[in-house]
């Protein structure tokens, strides 16, 4: 087909609703770790999520137009005393849809095998048992990777003082 500027061309797009299977790629890698969020200051465990701006004056976490920042701790295990292997700074912005957020995070990991940062995005549903993230790239040992991540609740709830999320990250080059 000869494509020319100024002409319209039909495009077919199919949305099957299936998740891309990173395991099909030859250089597939799986990471597993736990992200620890703290909603209330406690001795030795400072707050990890803070509302920094409110366009409407409504300081509810879920109010559209608000902006929050976060920096969670990444640990090897579900226990809040397990080894720290990284940090996860990011931002969150409530969407107009009830209890959903546009989120981005920089998952910075420092282990013997992994040393670098993954950039991840998600349309977070706060009441869901799990959420899917897209991995759009990274730095260090994660340079030029793509993939996806699934996080599930491992401990706590969004209504408690803390929440621990198990992350399973599937990467390929």
């Amino acid at each position: 087909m000869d494509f020319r500027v100024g002409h319209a061309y039909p495009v077919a797009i199919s949305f099957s609703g299936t998740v891309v299977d990173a395991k099909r790629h030859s250089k597939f890698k799986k990471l597993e770790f736990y992200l620890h969020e703290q909603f209330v200051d406690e001795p030795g465990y400072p707050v990890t999520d803070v509302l920094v701006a409110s366009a409407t004056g409504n300081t509810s976490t879920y109010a559209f137009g608000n902006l929050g920042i976060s920096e969670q701790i990444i640990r090897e295990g579900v226990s809040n005393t397990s080894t720290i292997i990284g940090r996860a700074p990011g931002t969150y912005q409530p969407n107009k849809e009830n209890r959903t957020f546009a989120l981005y995070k920089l998952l910075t990991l420092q282990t013997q095998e992994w040393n670098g940062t993954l950039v991840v995005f998600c349309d977070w549903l706060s009441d869901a048992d799990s959420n899917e993230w897209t991995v759009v790239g990274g730095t260090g040992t994660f340079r030029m990777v793509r993939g996806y991540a699934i996080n599930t609740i491992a401990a706590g709830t969004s209504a408690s003082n803390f929440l621990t999320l198990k992350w399973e990250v599937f990467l390929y080059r």
Side-chain angles (χ1 to χ4, degrees), residues 10-160:
V11 176
I13 300 174
S14 172
F15 294 98
S16 65
T18 59
V19 174
V20 173
D21 187 1
K23 297 173 192 167
R24 293 184 194 169
H25 296 271
S26 61
K27 295 188 178 187
F28 156 74
K29 293 282 186 181
K30 180 182 177 188
L31 286 72
E32 190 173 298
F33 52 82
Y34 294 83
L35 189 139
H36 292 253
E37 290 189 75
Q38 186 72 31
F39 304 118
V40 176
D41 266 331
E42 293 179 352
Y45 302 100
V47 168
T48 59
D49 299 72
V50 179
L51 180 65
V52 294
S54 175
T56 64
N58 181 346
T59 58
S60 165
T61 301
Y62 302 103
F64 178 72
N66 289 352
L67 178 66
I69 58 171
S70 63
E71 185 169 339
Q72 292 88 17
I73 295 171
I74 300 172
R75 296 181 180 269
E76 285 182 343
V78 69
S79 168
N80 65 359
T81 60
S82 65
T83 303
I84 294 174
I85 60 171
R87 300 190 97 50
T91 64
Y92 58 94
Q93 172 188 342
N95 297 327
K96 285 188 175 182
E97 293 296 317
N98 192 28
R99 300 178 74 83
T100 66
F101 296 88
L103 288 169
Y104 104 89
K105 287 191 179 302
L106 300 173
L107 302 173
T108 302
L109 298 170
Q110 296 171 345
T111 69
Q112 287 182 346
E113 185 178 1
W114 306 102
N115 186 9
T117 299
L118 289 168
V119 179
V120 296
F121 290 91
C122 178
D123 184 18
W124 176 268
L125 178 58
S126 64
D127 295 332
D129 290 333
S130 68
N131 280 281
E132 182 174 336
W133 297 71
T134 184
V135 176
V136 296
T139 65
T141 55
F142 301 115
R143 187 176 297 127
M144 300 300 291
V145 299
R146 298 288 184 264
Y148 67 97
I150 304 291
N151 63 13
T152 54
I153 297 172
T157 67
S158 58
S160 68

